[in-house]
């Protein structure tokens, strides 16, 4: 579909106005929101990621592209939102301390919201004490932690330990994700689950909540 490849190209070039216009156009053409997300917005961000890896683009371009991606995400967000009277459970999401990446976590949040869960997103660079306070205050069924940097992902272990020390471990299941994270790392730090992408995150949440 031409509009979707145009969305990807506009994310890649960081043209927020065009992303806004094309995302609306794709919706008016009857494209499904998850298709616009996967084949348009995410496709564009993946291309930027590849170029960043190969030193073909640098931080400013990546930032501009991620802003453009966010403009598209905000248009799609209401379409993933459930009827608030039929919420299936509460989930806290946070990008751990030291890490400012949040695009993937926002997508996970949107997928979960779309499936009927209430999502409380604590943002980026979130400390373990903030997470512990939020778990006490919100009493979520699931805590989802995101990390994109190998240099700071070990903080996930500290968060799991802090939840344990606060006596909250029996109340909340912990799921982790982000590109450097693996299933074996989840096992190693005592998390309950790991998912490589938003669709698998939703499946993981369903499985964990069914175990209760
Ligand atoms: C966008 C981006 C940025 C943006 C972030 C903007 C934002 N608001 O998020 C900016 C410019 C700020 C940035 C900065 C930096 N970045 Co950067 N960045 C990226 C980039 C290009 C794309 C990430 C992304 O959004 N991917 C698209 C989304 C959809 O995918 P995703 O994040 O993986 O999320 C999916 C899954 O992982 C999973 N998931 C994610 N979170 C969660 C959570 C849960 C609970 C679950 C279950 C699943 C899950 O589901 C998501 C949806 O499918 C990646 C390259 C890449 N290919 O990943 C580098 C990358 C992550 N960055 C990198 C680096 C090095 C940096 C900097 C250190 C650069 C620098 N020299 O300053 C800084 C660090 C800043 C900081 N303290 O965090 C490296 C990390 C290397 C490493 N392994 O440690 C990467 C891999 C690039 C590279 N190849 O070198 N970056």
């Amino acid at each position: 579909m031409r509009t979707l490849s145009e969305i990807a190209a506009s994310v890649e070039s960081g043209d927020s106005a065009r992303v806004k216009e094309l995302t609306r156009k794709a919706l008016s053409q009857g494209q499904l929101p998850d298709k616009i997300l996967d084949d348009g917005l995410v496709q564009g961000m993946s291309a930027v990621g590849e170029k960043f890896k190969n030193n073909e683009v640098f931080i400013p371009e990546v930032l501009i592209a991620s802003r453009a991606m966010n403009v598209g995400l905000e248009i799609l967000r209401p379409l993933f939102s459930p009827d608030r009277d039929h919420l299936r459970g509460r989930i806290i999401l946070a990008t751990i301390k030291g890490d400012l990446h949040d695009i993937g976590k926002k997508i996970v949040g949107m997928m979960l919201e779309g499936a009927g869960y209430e999502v409380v997103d604590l943002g980026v660079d979130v400390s373990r004490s903030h997470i512990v306070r939020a778990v006490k205050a919100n009493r979520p069924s699931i805590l989802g932690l995101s990390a994109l940097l190998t240099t700071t992902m070990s903080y996930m272990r500290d968060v799991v330990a802090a939840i344990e020390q606060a006596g909250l471990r029996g109340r909340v299941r912990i799921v982790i994700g982000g590109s450097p994270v693996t299933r074996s790392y989840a096992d190693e730090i005592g998390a309950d689950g790991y998912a490589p992408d938003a669709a698998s995150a939703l499946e993981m949440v369903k499985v964990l909540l069914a175990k209760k």
Side-chain angles (χ1 to χ4, degrees), residues 137-193:
N138 294 283
R139 304 178 73 90
S141 318
I142 304 270
L143 168 64
L145 301 174
S146 182
L148 270 280
L149 298 173
T150 42
T151 44
T152 50
M153 71 184 243
S154 60
Y155 194 76
M156 285 178 156
R157 188 194 292 275
D158 300 348
V159 176
V160 175
I163 293 287
E164 183 97 52
Q165 273 160 22
L168 299 167
R169 194 65 186 93
R171 279 202 220 159
V172 65
R173 308 283 165 101
I174 303 176
V175 181
I176 63 172
S179 50
V181 175
T182 59
R183 188 176 310 279
S184 65
Y185 183 65
D187 293 342
E188 192 188 313
I189 67 169
D192 299 290

Side-chain angles (χ1 to χ4, degrees), residues 4-209:
L4 299 186
S5 54
E6 284 175 341
I7 291 175
S10 306
V11 168
E12 205 180 326
S13 63
D15 188 341
S16 296
R18 190 91 180 112
V19 170
K20 187 192 246 181
E21 179 193 328
L22 288 167
T23 304
R24 289 193 174 137
K25 182 175 167 194
L27 286 171
S28 71
Q29 287 170 338
Q31 291 287 334
L32 294 173
D34 52 354
K35 192 119 179 87
I36 300 174
L37 182 63
D38 289 341
D39 298 349
L41 300 169
V42 172
Q43 197 71 33
M45 205 59 224
S46 305
V48 176
E50 204 48 41
K51 287 189 172 169
F52 187 47
K53 192 169 78 189
N54 299 328
N55 291 321
E56 292 167 42
V57 298
F58 301 96
I59 301 268
E61 289 96 327
V62 179
L63 260 182
I64 293 167
S66 58
R67 278 193 205 127
M69 161 111 190
N70 268 317
V71 167
L73 282 184
E74 287 313 314
I75 295 172
L76 298 182
R77 182 182 297 284
L79 305 170
F80 284 96
S81 295
D83 170 355
R84 297 201 64 83
D85 291 340
H86 297 93
L87 291 172
R88 297 162 76 181
R90 186 176 296 143
I91 297 170
I92 288 188
L93 292 180
T95 299
I96 53 152
K97 193 171 162 60
D99 196 325
L100 302 176
H101 296 85
D102 67 353
I103 295 172
K105 182 198 60 178
K106 280 186 182 168
I107 294 175
V108 170
M110 274 172 53
M111 285 282 168
L112 292 168
E113 277 178 354
Y117 298 94
E118 180 185 355
V119 173
V120 179
D121 189 338
L122 303 181
V124 297
D125 191 22
V126 188
S127 69
R128 58 190 163 186
S129 56
H130 184 170
I131 293 173
V132 165
R133 277 199 304 276
V135 170
K136 279 185 185 156
N138 294 283
R139 304 178 73 90
S141 318
I142 304 270
L143 168 64
L145 301 174
S146 182
L148 270 280
L149 298 173
T150 42
T151 44
T152 50
M153 71 184 243
S154 60
Y155 194 76
M156 285 178 156
R157 188 194 292 275
D158 300 348
V159 176
V160 175
I163 293 287
E164 183 97 52
Q165 273 160 22
L168 299 167
R169 194 65 186 93
R171 279 202 220 159
V172 65
R173 308 283 165 101
I174 303 176
V175 181
I176 63 172
S179 50
V181 175
T182 59
R183 188 176 310 279
S184 65
Y185 183 65
D187 293 342
E188 192 188 313
I189 67 169
D192 299 290
Y194 148 81
D197 54 50
S200 333
L202 176 57
E203 285 312 308
M204 174 58 66
V205 162
K206 284 184 186 161
V207 168
L208 288 176
L209 292 182

